[in-house]
Amino acid sequence: MPSVVRSTFVLGAFAFAAATATACGDKVTVTQPPKDSSVSLVVVSPPGPIAMKIGDKVTFTATVTGGPDLTNRAVTWKSSATAIATVDNNGVVTAVSGGTASIIATSVQNTGVSGAAVVTVGASVPATITIASVNQTTCSFFGNCSSVPANIAAIMGQIDVTLNVDPGTQTLTGVDLILNCSGTGNSGTDTVVASQNIGSDKAPIAAEAASAPVQLSFNTANFNATSGAVAFKNGNCVLKGRARTAAGTQSGSNTETLTLVNPDVIVGTMASTKQALNPTTGLNWHGGDVTVTATPVFFTPGRSAASMVFTFEGATATATGAGTQSVTFLDTNNPASTSPLNIDGITDGFADEELGVTTVDNSGNNFFNPSGFPIVTAASFLANPAAGGTPPFGGTNPFRLDTQRPASGTFALASNADQGTSVNGYVGAAFRFAADSAAGYRGPDQIAGNRTRNLDHNGVDNVGVVFQQGTTNTGTWTAVTNTANLAETATASTFTL
């Protein structure tokens, strides 16, 4: 039995040792497959051929394909003929001149692999622009305007010019209308007077759309509202069109000679420091100081203003110098004022008819508006210079002036039919005590009739009425608002009311 035990022990120990030796002594090496970052193909899109006009821009993209481990898919760009088309680092191609060029994208990872697309640039055909018609904008007295064929020998105000544009092979970006006026007071150089932007380098308009007629308008009577300086003096001018393209500008192939004959004019405004509404008539009135501003606008070559004489409601002032001039006529609230500009104490429903403005030019000649109005609005003149413009006030909208104090004096209560008083001035319970100008009392300036009497000479009609009573005209006065305020006596008594 003991021999059996010993044999088993030896065998077990041997097996353990063998297993240990195998685990500790063996080494295993694992080999990874090689990485594939090769470049197999570069494709340029759009593939071409691409037709372009000079100045056009097209953006190309490049797709780089290769092994599964390829990470660098960048490309460099170049053109086979930079005189025909150029390309930047972002693949943006610009057409330069007529011909064919290849746009090449080369892999940065493997410069031996490239892709390309072809662009064909049409031969350069310049844009052409011609004047198709010149119309004149005319307006009626009621403001209705229409465009009719212009008398190019006598142009006044706005003209409407139709241009026919053929872009050729150019990328059309805009059209300009140019006027060049010679003679005294004019520069004799090309001046852009109107423009229309048709497209841009990034989004050029199609040639078919660009061929449509383009109408541009401008006012030959434009002037600076502050200085009175005009854009163009009267005389001969040359009109032409100009096409703006991505490659530059092309002037029109034909011109039109015009003669400007805009009339000289005085434009201006009237303004007051106070305005009020007549609550009875609904009419607006002006009061306080009145400022008249006038600007002489001379289109006659060599003519300028030396001074201006303003007259208003009998007051006169002279302003020396060219450009805009202003005179303020004063509501002094003082009947004794000796100011030459004093307009106090006046109620005039048509005060604009009392305004006069005379310009003395640099030759010593007096100038008045040909329309007969002392001043006209700038907008009305620009709309229709031939009619001479319209004044800022007049017609159904006169300048109503009221700088007059209410009439002084006392109300006549006796025989006042508006309030039903007796010949002796008896005030009964129905007598109306009112603190408004519509109470119906006849005052010193109105002695008959059954109408509202407000003592303000038919002006703003905003005069208050206050009643007071006393025992004598020189005694103490107290306010009265109804008959209960009057003292009662046992006998008939007379009070001053």
Side-chain angles (χ1 to χ4, degrees), residues 223-230 263-270 292-299 304-305 307-308 310 319 321-327 357-359 367 369 374-378 381:
F223 60 90
N224 184 293
T226 300
S227 65
V230 302
D264 297 334
V265 68
I266 302 173
V267 299
T269 60
M270 291 178 68
V292 180
T293 301
T295 304
V297 181
F298 288 147
F299 295 92
S304 61
S307 62
M308 299 182 74
F310 296 75
T324 299
Q325 303 288 352
S326 294
V327 172
V357 178
T358 303
T359 297
F367 171 77
N369 273 344
I375 56 175
V376 298
T377 66
F381 174 77

Side-chain angles (χ1 to χ4, degrees), residues 36-43 63-75 106-114:
D36 183 3
S37 58
S38 62
V39 177
S40 59
L41 186 65
V42 176
V43 177
T63 302
V64 180
T65 58
D69 298 311
L70 177 63
T71 58
N72 186 358
R73 299 178 187 273
V75 298
T106 301
S107 168
V108 173
Q109 176 75 7
N110 185 349
T111 58
V113 182
S114 300

Side-chain angles (χ1 to χ4, degrees), residues 47-69:
I50 303 298
M52 302 180 69
K53 302 191 303 294
I54 294 173
D56 281 356
K57 293 180 182 291
V58 175
T59 300
F60 286 88
T61 60
T63 302
V64 180
T65 58
D69 298 311

